[in-house]
Amino acid sequence: MTRKPIIIGVTGGSGGGKTSVSQAILANFPDAKIAMIQHGSYYKNQDHLTFEERVKTNYDHPLAFDTDFMIEQLKELIAGRPVDIPIYDYTQHTRSEKTHRRESQDVFIIEGILVMEDECLRDLMDIKIFVDTDDDIRIIRCIKRDMMERGRSLESIIEQYTIQKE
């Protein structure tokens, strides 16, 4: 009989170090069947909107995510079936047409700013981790990451960050 995978939820503010903590967990178990799934992969598809409309989306709000789809895919993985995880294109503010095939594992790390917001997703988790980082460190990390990796302007990053803080 196959054992249910362990689900670890890792959350905290944008730029708080969630991915770094998750990668450290992965690195400490190099021989284990363990994988990370990022909530950011499940931002809603917005290809029906113009680019200008997509840019206005509040990506730090629960409605920006297709969490129901993430839960559905996580349940498939728990049942031992592979899934095709969406790939989000941060430069285009919508999902890519590409997906990433994920096989079932012994441990899944579910990482994202709002993975604890949804009760159904939270209930699937065996371990919950909150990464707490000072706000000044988080904004500097967001600026560096979003400008270098996501092609965003300083103004858009600051606007998103200040909306998040309200």
Side-chain angles (χ1 to χ4, degrees):
M1 181 174 169
T2 310
R3 199 172 354 153
K4 175 196 172 290
I6 296 170
I7 310 296
I8 302 171
V10 179
T11 195
S14 293
K18 299 174 300 298
T19 302
S20 295
V21 168
S22 298
Q23 289 172 340
I25 295 169
L26 289 169
N28 277 289
F29 299 97
D31 299 324
K33 288 182 65 180
I34 182 171
M36 178 170 56
I37 300 174
Q38 296 180 311
H39 200 200
S41 296
Y42 293 88
Y43 278 121
K44 289 181 179 173
N45 188 22
Q46 300 192 105
D47 62 2
H48 61 286
L49 301 174
T50 67
F51 183 81
E52 291 73 25
E53 291 170 318
R54 288 182 242 155
V55 171
K56 294 177 184 176
T57 299
N58 180 354
Y59 293 95
D60 294 326
H61 191 281
L63 293 177
F65 295 91
D66 190 351
T67 301
D68 289 341
F69 184 44
M70 182 183 208
I71 292 167
E72 177 184 314
Q73 288 202 320
L74 194 53
K75 286 179 178 180
E76 288 293 306
L77 289 165
I78 289 168
R81 294 183 287 273
V83 298
D84 294 317
I85 295 176
I87 295 175
Y88 195 79
D89 184 340
Y90 287 92
T91 63
Q92 295 302 309
H93 300 280
T94 194
R95 284 191 190 161
S96 166
E97 291 181 12
K98 299 176 184 174
T99 60
H100 173 74
R101 187 76 162 174
R102 174 60 64 204
E103 302 290 332
S104 190
Q105 305 289 310
D106 294 331
V107 178
F108 285 103
I109 301 168
I110 309 303
E111 180 265 325
I113 61 170
L114 293 172
V115 295
M116 303 295 177
E117 186 274 335
D118 186 280
E119 183 178 6
C120 293
L121 183 56
R122 212 172 41 243
D123 287 347
L124 292 174
M125 297 175 193
D126 301 294
I127 300 169
K128 299 169 187 85
I129 300 170
F130 182 82
V131 181
D132 188 20
T133 306
D134 289 339
D135 290 346
D136 55 346
I137 300 297
R138 292 190 319 105
I139 186 62
I140 291 167
R141 288 179 180 169
C142 285
I143 290 169
K144 288 173 65 176
R145 177 197 65 204
D146 290 358
M147 289 180 80
M148 292 187 321
E149 296 175 18
R150 299 180 180 175
R152 296 189 52 210
S153 69
L154 178 60
E155 294 77 22
S156 72
I157 298 164
I158 291 171
E159 182 179 337
Q160 180 178 353
Y161 187 83
T162 54
I163 288 171
Q164 180 187 54
K165 297 289 292 169
E166 293 175 351

